[in-house]
């Protein structure tokens, strides 16, 4: 009997965003968890300059993150694109190229639909959300509009672009104070991992916070402060998504910023979240609604606020490429739900191929 060929998976990581190092941690965890008897892994490293490097086929788990930094690898951007686009040459060409891409690039160019668009042009299957869902999931202002249309309750917010801020700062400040009051949170619209976020308690602090946020994006979102618990849900699937048990984050900092997430190691997680059964069921249902509102596929982590005073639930955001180390909330919530880390990887590959095969049946010209 002929031995079945291993599936060739391209693991893409790194990138130009402020989440480069987070991406390396995720990539190492994912590479070390794959079943090497079933998959052949090819590392694609995107340097901070934006250049690509292609490494050799992995023989087994990596010992350190340094092994992921392939600056001196012989395969550069041209080779990476050749491997991506080889499938366009003939139906069988993916046997020499890549069967499915697994993007693990957090933040800009990784979660915003740009790399997904590249994969669409190359007509190669890929894990996770598509172009539209990725773009909406990255832009907090458009995401909030999608949530509003879906009827999901959310905190009050104001958004504006740099040009509007520079043209009439006082008017933007007046509107923000009138709608939100203090304290409030100032965020870049297009970034993840809580990078660029500040808490402002007065007008002077908002001015400083906006200047900080504009270093990362041309669009800013300002949200009202709600004294709330932070509850999250993992969602998995394409057209029939499923939600995990909820988990709760207890931040070590005043709010769950980059330091609390990745630096001090003092934040705590409770999985499942210590909330009653009815509330947990409602949050899971809202998570699936939010997932469908952005046309999600593959995976997403959906984050909520639960106001302490009355347990009112507000949707916060959808993260289409959540942290994916074995100690991240996304896989831990699925583990508690009964799905192991390795099973998650298998399922994500299956979902990528399922969506790709469905797309191949569509017509792109008049018939």
């Amino acid at each position: 009997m002929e031995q079945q060929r291993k599936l060739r998976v391209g693991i893409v990581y790194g990138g130009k965003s402020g989440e480069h190092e987070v991406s390396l941690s995720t990539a190492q965890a994912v590479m070390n968890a794959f079943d090497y008897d079933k998959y052949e892994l090819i590392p694609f490293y995107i340097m901070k300059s934006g250049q690509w490097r292609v490494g050799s086929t992995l023989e087994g788990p990596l010992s350190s993150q340094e092994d992921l930094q392939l600056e001196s690898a012989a395969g550069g951007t041209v080779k990476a694109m050749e491997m991506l686009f080889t499938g366009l040459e003939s139906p069988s060409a993916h046997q020499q190229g890549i069967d499915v891409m697994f993007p693990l690039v957090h933040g800009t160019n990784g979660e915003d639909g740009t790399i997904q668009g590249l994969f669409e042009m190359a007509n190669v299957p890929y894990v996770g959300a598509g172009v539209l869902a990725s773009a909406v999931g990255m832009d907090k202002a458009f995401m909030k509009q999608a949530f509003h249309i879906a009827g999901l309750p959310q905190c009050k917010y104001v958004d504006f672009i740099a040009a509007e801020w520079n043209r009439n700062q006082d008017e933007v400040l007046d509107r923000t104070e009138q709608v939100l009051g203090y304290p409030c949170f100032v965020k870049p619209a297009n970034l993840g991992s809580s990078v660029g976020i500040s808490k402002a308690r007065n007008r002077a602090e908002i001015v400083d916070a906006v200047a900080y946020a504009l270093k990362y994006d041309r669009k800013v979102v300002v949200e009202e402060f709600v004294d709330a618990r932070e509850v999250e849900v993992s969602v998995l699937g394409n057209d029939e998504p499923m939600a995990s048990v909820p988990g709760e984050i207890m931040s070590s900092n005043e709010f769950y910023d980059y330091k609390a997430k990745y630096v001090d190691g003092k934040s705590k997680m409770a999985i499942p979240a210590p909330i009653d059964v009815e509330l947990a069921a409602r949050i899971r249902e809202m998570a699936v609604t939010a997932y469908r509102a952005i046309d999600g596929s593959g995976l997403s982590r959906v984050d909520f606020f639960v106001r302490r005073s009355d347990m009112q639930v507000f949707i916060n955001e959808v993260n289409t490429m959540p942290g994916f180390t074995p100690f991240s909330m996304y896989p831990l919530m699925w583990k508690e739900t009964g799905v192991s880390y390795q099973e998650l990887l298998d399922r994500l590959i299956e979902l990528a191929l399922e969506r790709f095969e469905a797309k191949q049946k569509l017509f792109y010209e008049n018939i």
Side-chain angles (χ1 to χ4, degrees):
M1 179 183 292
E2 183 180 352
Q3 187 175 4
Q4 187 175 0
R5 183 177 67 87
K6 293 181 182 180
L7 207 64
R8 300 194 80 196
V9 181
I11 307 292
V12 190
Y13 58 93
K16 297 174 66 175
S17 84
E19 300 175 76
H20 185 97
E21 284 70 25
V22 178
S23 176
L24 295 182
S25 297
T26 298
Q28 183 184 9
V30 168
M31 289 175 178
N32 288 357
F34 263 108
D35 183 349
Y36 282 82
D37 292 331
K38 294 169 60 176
Y39 302 99
E40 192 172 284
L41 303 187
I42 313 294
F44 287 75
Y45 175 50
I46 304 177
M47 300 164 62
K48 289 185 177 181
S49 65
Q51 298 179 56
W52 290 54
R53 294 290 183 268
V54 182
S56 303
T57 302
L58 298 181
E59 301 297 329
L62 302 174
S63 58
S64 69
Q65 282 189 27
E66 284 71 30
D67 297 331
L68 296 171
Q69 296 170 332
L70 307 172
E71 282 90 346
S72 59
T77 304
V78 172
K79 179 180 178 181
M81 295 306 105
E82 287 176 348
M83 292 185 72
L84 275 181
F85 283 84
T86 189
L88 292 178
E89 299 300 320
S90 70
S92 62
H94 275 306
Q95 293 187 15
Q96 288 75 46
I98 299 295
D99 292 305
V100 58
M101 298 299 290
F102 199 139
L104 296 170
V105 181
H106 295 291
T108 307
N109 296 145
E111 296 181 60
D112 56 8
T114 50
I115 200 168
Q116 289 78 15
L118 174 65
F119 297 151
E120 292 283 354
M121 293 293 290
N123 200 37
V124 61
Y126 59 95
V127 169
V131 174
L132 175 64
S134 297
V136 175
M138 176 57 69
D139 190 307
K140 294 178 178 65
F142 276 98
M143 186 195 308
K144 289 177 180 297
Q145 293 181 40
F147 292 161
H148 175 72
I149 292 170
L152 291 165
Q154 53 190 324
C155 300
K156 292 180 287 187
Y157 72 96
V158 168
D159 65 274
F160 50 86
I161 61 173
E164 184 180 0
W165 174 258
N166 294 332
R167 184 175 60 250
N168 202 334
Q169 186 178 119
D170 287 338
E171 182 179 305
V172 174
L173 286 167
D174 290 342
R175 173 162 54 97
T176 302
E177 290 174 333
Q178 182 178 1
V179 174
L180 307 179
Y182 295 107
C184 56
F185 288 98
V186 182
K187 307 177 178 182
N190 288 275
L191 211 62
S193 291
S194 300
V195 174
I197 297 180
S198 304
K199 185 176 182 179
R201 300 163 185 81
N202 52 56
R203 181 171 280 220
E205 289 188 358
I206 282 191
V207 172
D208 290 342
V210 170
Y212 179 47
L214 287 174
K215 291 180 179 180
Y216 295 97
D217 191 39
R218 61 181 284 274
K219 187 188 295 185
V220 172
V221 172
V222 187
E223 299 174 348
E224 71 168 323
F225 167 77
V226 176
D227 182 19
R229 298 163 64 179
E230 298 190 41
V231 176
E232 303 179 346
V233 175
S234 298
V235 180
L236 178 71
N238 289 337
D239 294 338
E240 299 294 335
M242 302 179 298
S244 72
V245 299
E248 183 174 358
I249 291 288
M250 283 76 79
S251 176
S252 62
N253 214 337
E254 189 175 5
F255 60 97
Y256 199 40
D257 60 1
Y258 186 91
K259 179 181 177 182
K261 281 186 178 181
Y262 302 112
V263 179
D264 64 20
K266 296 178 182 177
S267 293
K268 297 180 181 179
M269 296 178 281
I271 305 172
I275 54 179
D276 67 55
V277 174
E278 289 185 7
L279 181 59
R282 181 151 52 94
I283 289 174
R284 293 175 78 171
E285 182 179 347
M286 290 173 66
V288 171
T289 299
Y291 191 77
R292 287 180 167 144
I294 68 165
D295 194 23
S297 55
L299 76 162
S300 286
R301 193 193 69 237
V302 187
D303 301 346
F304 298 89
F305 296 127
V306 179
R307 191 162 56 195
R308 296 181 192 277
S309 62
D310 58 2
M311 302 302 283
Q312 170 69 37
V313 180
F314 300 98
I315 181 79
N316 179 22
E317 62 182 21
V318 169
N319 188 326
T320 57
M321 187 58 249
F324 209 88
T325 73
F327 311 105
S328 300
M329 284 291 283
Y330 185 89
L332 285 175
M333 287 187 285
W334 275 118
K335 182 179 180 181
E336 185 66 27
T337 312
V339 183
S340 72
Y341 192 80
Q342 195 169 82
E343 288 172 330
L344 268 181
L345 295 176
D346 289 339
R347 183 62 182 138
L348 288 171
I349 296 294
E350 292 170 3
L351 290 167
L353 296 173
E354 173 187 284
R355 188 184 59 190
F356 179 77
E357 289 167 6
K359 185 189 172 193
Q360 303 314 297
K361 298 175 182 178
L362 300 177
F363 291 97
Y364 294 93
E365 56 187 49
N366 289 332
I367 56 174

